[in-house]
Amino acid sequence: MDKKLFYKIGGIALMMILLLIPLSMVERQIRDRSQRQNEVQESIANGAAGEQMLAGPFLAVDYRETSLITPDENNTKPRQQVVERTLLLPAQLLEIDGQGNVETRHRGIYQARLFQMQLTNKGHFVVPPLASLLPGKQFSDARLRLILRVSDPRGINNDPQVLLNGQTMRFSAPKRQGSGESPRQMEIALGSFDTTQEYRLNFSFPLQLTGTTRLAIAPTGEANRISLKSDWPHPNFGGRFLPGKRNVSESGFDAQWEVSHLARNFDATLNPKSGENLSIDFVDPVNIYLQAERAVKYGLLFVALTFAGFFLTEILRRAPIHPLQYLLVGLALATFFLLLIAFSEHLPFIAAYGLAATACIGLIAFYLAGALGGWQQGAAFGGGLTGLYGVLYGVLLSEDNALLMGSVLLFLALGTIMLATRKLDWYSLGKQLTAGGEGAE
């Protein structure tokens, strides 16, 4: 290969490596802005309420168990031991109906989503004779507690009146169970009951719950029927249990779940880290920082395809392009991603993308019209870049098809270069470029 051609290709490769610096700086800026957005969301959640996890209600049966400790070599007589124990029981039927709305709170250019749910909880418990639950054990002083767990009780906007077998009662102040991020527990002491008879407890209470971004509900009942509605049109249903029926439209969503005890583990539903729940994320329709970060990952591909077009123009039109011109156009391509994130913080993403792309394509086309000596060449490159930006936008909208679209784009670019240079004499190309450069001088 002629040294002139070798140096040319080496210079282009060096320009591409140098352009990784501004691209990485733009990507770091996007990550910093995204981190700031998360910090603002946490700050708003700290002032209102965070993500909410609701578990219960369920029953706790507190009792004393008496057992005999067999004697050892130092004791000649057995002795009695009394231990305080608790048995947790699920509701036979748990029904939760909720109607909510989503409020957007701003702090500067950043924002967070707060949901406000009006929940109605009702159902019933059936406690069988305690001897059937504790076979072979001696127990006494059995008492009942009704328990409800909420991850962030600051979001409880009412003091719910709990109707229990026709009697109105109220929960005690929330108490933390365990350490770390464990949920808070609210209780109602129900006192003693007849342990020899089946005991039925009907319950119902309203709950006004506010939270940030995510609502999770643990299906603690033997049979769970949950129905939630909201005006938020972009829900993300998650957890281990997806809704059996759902309707999502521009006016909001309506979803229903039915979960039986056969499909869930009761002990796991009481552990917030187990994931044994159903959840709704009130997500933004477009995460501008995630979209922009994904776009930057295609920045080097943009540069490579543009430089390939430049090089193809050089060898086919015998029109040398200076490495500095490569670099300037590459910097203009890198500036697109910075403009994209700057505009998208103030405009809808599609408008920000169109404005940033139009500005960069217009600048590059105008520059190349002078650098290549004609508007036709500048317009041709502008048209190619327009198609390239169009493909990138399609990739950003359809993450599932990103690999397919990217592979097709690379194949088309390679095919174009191969077809355009299939009859090219690469051995004489360096001399032709040298002659072209001297003629231009």
Side-chain angles (χ1 to χ4, degrees):
M1 181 183 292
D2 187 87
K3 291 184 178 181
K4 178 73 173 180
L5 179 59
F6 179 79
Y7 291 149
K8 187 71 175 183
I9 295 176
I12 295 173
L14 179 61
M15 292 300 103
M16 291 181 61
I17 294 174
L18 290 176
L19 285 170
L20 288 175
I21 298 175
L23 287 174
S24 63
M25 293 175 65
V26 172
E27 187 171 8
R28 185 167 59 250
Q29 179 67 22
I30 293 173
R31 289 177 180 173
D32 290 342
R33 306 292 280 188
S34 179
Q35 182 178 356
R36 175 58 181 161
Q37 165 79 1
N38 294 334
E39 291 174 355
V40 169
Q41 288 181 347
E42 291 179 2
S43 176
I44 293 176
N46 289 334
E51 296 183 357
Q52 291 289 16
M53 171 72 180
L54 181 65
F58 54 91
L59 281 181
V61 182
D62 300 316
Y63 63 96
R64 293 180 178 179
E65 181 181 336
T66 303
S67 59
L68 290 177
I69 299 179
T70 57
D72 55 21
E73 58 185 13
N74 297 322
N75 297 307
T76 58
K77 295 182 180 181
R79 59 188 177 90
Q80 288 187 337
Q81 179 180 7
V82 179
V83 180
E84 298 282 348
R85 297 193 183 279
T86 299
L87 177 66
L88 301 180
L89 299 177
Q92 288 295 110
L93 174 64
L94 174 60
E95 294 182 330
I96 301 177
D97 292 318
Q99 178 77 42
N101 56 70
V102 177
E103 173 189 357
T104 301
R105 293 193 180 180
H106 296 269
R107 184 165 297 174
I109 61 174
Y110 303 102
Q111 60 186 18
R113 310 287 182 188
L114 290 181
F115 63 83
Q116 296 178 346
M117 277 285 175
Q118 309 290 331
L119 300 171
T120 300
N121 301 261
K122 61 182 180 180
H124 67 269
F125 294 89
V126 175
V127 183
L130 203 54
S132 65
L133 297 176
L134 304 171
K137 295 184 179 180
Q138 296 182 6
F139 55 86
S140 62
D141 196 21
R143 307 177 72 85
L144 289 177
R145 287 180 292 141
L146 182 72
I147 297 177
L148 180 68
R149 290 178 180 173
V150 179
S151 57
D152 193 345
R154 293 175 305 159
I156 299 177
N157 300 323
N158 67 325
D159 183 6
Q161 295 185 359
V162 184
L163 194 63
L164 299 172
N165 285 348
Q167 182 180 1
T168 300
M169 305 184 76
R170 283 184 168 86
F171 286 109
S172 62
K175 299 179 181 179
R176 186 177 297 280
Q177 299 297 307
S179 59
E181 299 299 324
S182 59
R184 299 293 182 93
Q185 182 166 295
M186 302 183 298
E187 303 178 359
I188 297 178
L190 303 178
S192 59
F193 65 104
D194 187 354
T195 60
T196 64
Q197 302 292 326
E198 182 178 274
Y199 177 73
R200 180 185 175 97
L201 178 66
N202 299 311
F203 68 89
S204 67
F205 61 92
L207 185 65
Q208 299 175 12
L209 191 62
T210 296
T212 303
T213 306
R214 185 172 187 265
L215 170 64
I217 298 177
T220 56
E222 292 287 282
N224 303 272
R225 299 170 187 168
I226 301 170
S227 177
L228 300 177
K229 299 179 181 179
S230 174
D231 60 356
W232 186 246
H234 308 290
N236 180 33
F237 300 107
R240 286 203 57 201
F241 309 99
L242 295 178
K245 297 180 181 179
R246 65 179 181 178
N247 180 31
V248 180
S249 64
E250 294 182 357
S251 59
F253 71 87
D254 181 358
Q256 294 88 39
W257 293 259
E258 289 196 12
V259 182
S260 76
H261 67 282
L262 299 176
R264 65 98 179 99
N265 181 289
F266 176 64
D267 293 333
T269 60
L270 304 181
N271 181 4
K273 297 181 180 180
S274 68
E276 193 87 354
N277 57 54
L278 56 95
S279 65
I280 301 174
D281 291 298
F282 299 88
V283 299
D284 292 324
V286 177
N287 187 324
I288 59 173
Y289 300 106
L290 179 60
Q291 298 284 61
E293 187 174 355
R294 288 180 55 207
V296 172
K297 296 185 184 299
Y298 292 91
L300 188 60
L301 176 62
F302 268 47
V303 173
L305 292 178
T306 303
F307 282 9
F310 277 14
F311 186 69
L312 198 60
T313 300
E314 283 196 79
I315 62 178
L316 295 180
R317 298 178 60 86
R318 309 294 191 267
I321 300 176
H322 196 275
L324 183 58
Q325 293 174 308
Y326 277 87
L327 182 61
L328 289 174
V329 172
L331 288 173
L333 291 173
T335 304
F336 159 76
F337 301 103
L338 187 61
L339 289 175
L340 174 61
I341 189 61
F343 289 149
S344 62
E345 290 183 335
H346 302 275
L347 300 171
F349 187 80
I350 184 173
Y353 189 94
L355 184 59
T358 301
C360 291
I361 291 172
L363 174 62
I364 293 174
F366 182 78
Y367 175 75
L368 292 180
L372 299 179
W375 283 103
Q376 291 182 346
Q377 290 81 358
F381 268 98
L385 287 175
T386 301
L388 196 59
Y389 280 109
V391 171
L392 176 61
Y393 188 73
V395 170
L396 296 180
L397 289 183
S398 180
E399 184 177 1
D400 294 338
N401 297 322
L403 179 60
L404 174 62
M405 298 178 70
S407 301
V408 171
L409 178 62
L410 285 174
F411 178 80
L412 292 177
L414 178 62
T416 300
I417 294 174
M418 292 178 65
L419 290 175
T421 60
R422 66 188 187 279
K423 296 182 179 180
L424 187 66
D425 185 358
W426 291 94
Y427 287 102
S428 62
L429 180 59
K431 297 179 181 180
Q432 294 174 357
L433 287 176
T434 302
E438 294 173 351
E441 294 174 354

